[in-house]
Amino acid sequence: MLKDKVAIITGASRGIGRAIALKFASEGCNIAFTDLVEDENMNSLVTEITALGLKAKGYASNAADFEQTQKTVEQIVADFGHIDVLVNNAGITKDTLLMRMTEQQWDAVIAVNLKSVFNFTKAVQTTMLKQRSGSIINMSSVVGVSGNAGQANYSASKAGIIGFTKSVAKELGSRGIRSNAIAPGFIITEMTGQLSEEVRNEWNKMIPLRRGGTPEDVANACLFLASDLSSYVSGQVLHVCGGLNT
Ligand code: NAI
């Protein structure tokens, strides 16, 4: 479904981003991905994808940094030639009640989760405009739609992503560029692994499908939005949450 395409995925050394990279690669896509540092996770993902006969490269790059992002995308274009799909996946949490939330906790989450989406979308824009095609997929969250106590910074960043996604869809649609968001619910990764057993059980009770999602569940939705199966879908938020947000 993505044969000979090139995708950039941010924060893909582990978790949901890694599952997206592997899913896209299984459909013939060449993968340029970023994460904060070059480590064993980054190198093993490159090895796994290149073993499929595809091109893959990991770039150590802080998605919250505007200049670094420009340079990284320039390097990716030089290495891969074109960019068909951008998945803005990198994200962090710094959860606490508003009463205790520091300015640093607010700024860090907004910078990594929201500013990064601006940084990468702006950096790929020229290439996608020249191609007159591209699919941009932004990782929001159900809490960006519904809010969540203890996550004012995170929810605000994820709600901001939705506004950005819709604006880009309207601005770049006439040039063949699509922009959509995914709103995952409770997905089992290291990010949610930090939560206690009790909190995780409480989540499961609230989910109509009675289980947490897997990174692959999210990757499958990404594949739909990346591929031509969704060629008439833009400006939308696709919830992947087991029915939690309905
Ligand atoms: P994770 O913590 O397992 O992986 C996130 C990856 O992003 C890590 O490899 C990390 O090093 C990287 N990263 C962090 N800051 C970065 C930066 N400044 N620049 C580049 N890379 C950076 O998280 P997970 O669960 O895989 O989450 C992926 C995305 O999905 C995030 O945007 C998250 O907010 C979103 N999401 C996750 C949900 C879940 O339940 N796990 C639910 C809803 C949304």
Side-chain angles (χ1 to χ4, degrees):
M1 264 193 268
L2 299 176
K3 196 170 176 325
D4 298 329
K5 304 237 176 194
V6 175
I8 300 181
I9 306 162
T10 67
S13 288
R14 66 170 200 232
I16 293 171
R18 190 182 183 96
I20 296 168
L22 292 170
K23 176 63 66 180
F24 284 11
S26 75
E27 294 291 333
C29 193
N30 299 303
I31 307 289
F33 68 96
T34 73
D35 214 296
L36 283 171
V37 290
E38 185 187 338
D39 60 6
E40 184 42 42
N41 284 340
M42 183 177 274
N43 293 331
S44 67
L45 183 57
V46 171
T47 309
E48 248 183 274
I49 296 171
T50 47
L52 300 170
L54 298 160
K55 188 169 170 147
K57 193 167 169 187
Y59 300 79
S61 176
N62 177 2
D65 185 311
F66 185 82
E67 290 299 327
Q68 248 184 59
T69 301
Q70 291 290 322
K71 289 202 181 91
T72 302
V73 171
E74 273 166 31
Q75 190 58 51
I76 291 171
V77 173
D79 292 342
F80 286 79
H82 56 112
I83 304 165
D84 303 292
V85 181
L86 166 65
V87 185
N88 282 307
N89 167 77
I92 56 167
T93 52
K94 291 204 181 291
D95 298 350
T96 188
L97 294 174
L98 186 56
M99 188 76 83
R100 295 200 200 104
M101 192 174 288
T102 63
E103 186 185 3
Q104 284 81 2
Q105 286 170 325
W106 171 269
D107 286 345
V109 169
I110 298 295
V112 176
N113 295 7
L114 181 57
K115 190 179 174 201
S116 64
V117 177
F118 163 75
N119 290 346
F120 265 91
T121 306
K122 203 165 157 63
V124 302
Q125 189 180 211
T126 316
T127 305
M128 286 188 175
L129 283 172
K130 272 192 217 145
Q131 295 169 182
R132 297 190 74 83
S133 70
S135 173
I136 299 167
I137 302 165
N138 298 322
M139 208 53 73
S140 180
S141 165
V142 287
V143 305
V145 178
S146 62
N148 197 22
Q151 290 198 306
N153 50 359
Y154 184 79
S155 304
S157 72
K158 296 300 185 181
I161 286 177
I162 293 173
F164 183 84
T165 301
K166 292 185 177 192
S167 300
V168 169
K170 289 187 173 176
E171 206 170 306
L172 302 183
S174 64
R175 311 293 191 87
I177 299 168
R178 300 184 294 110
S179 165
N180 291 287
I182 290 189
F186 187 80
I187 309 298
I188 303 154
T189 66
E190 283 185 40
M191 184 178 267
T192 45
Q194 295 165 6
L195 300 170
S196 70
E197 179 90 31
E198 198 190 338
V199 172
R200 274 184 274 161
N201 287 339
E202 282 308 307
W203 271 97
N204 283 346
K205 275 189 217 154
M206 288 189 294
I207 299 167
L209 289 179
R210 293 288 184 273
R211 66 169 177 91
T214 63
E216 290 69 32
D217 288 326
V218 180
N220 284 330
C222 274
L223 175 59
F224 168 68
L225 291 176
S227 75
D228 291 342
L229 283 179
S230 60
S231 55
Y232 202 52
V233 180
S234 194
Q236 303 305 307
V237 182
L238 177 53
H239 291 241
V240 182
C241 63
L244 182 66
N245 251 20
T246 50

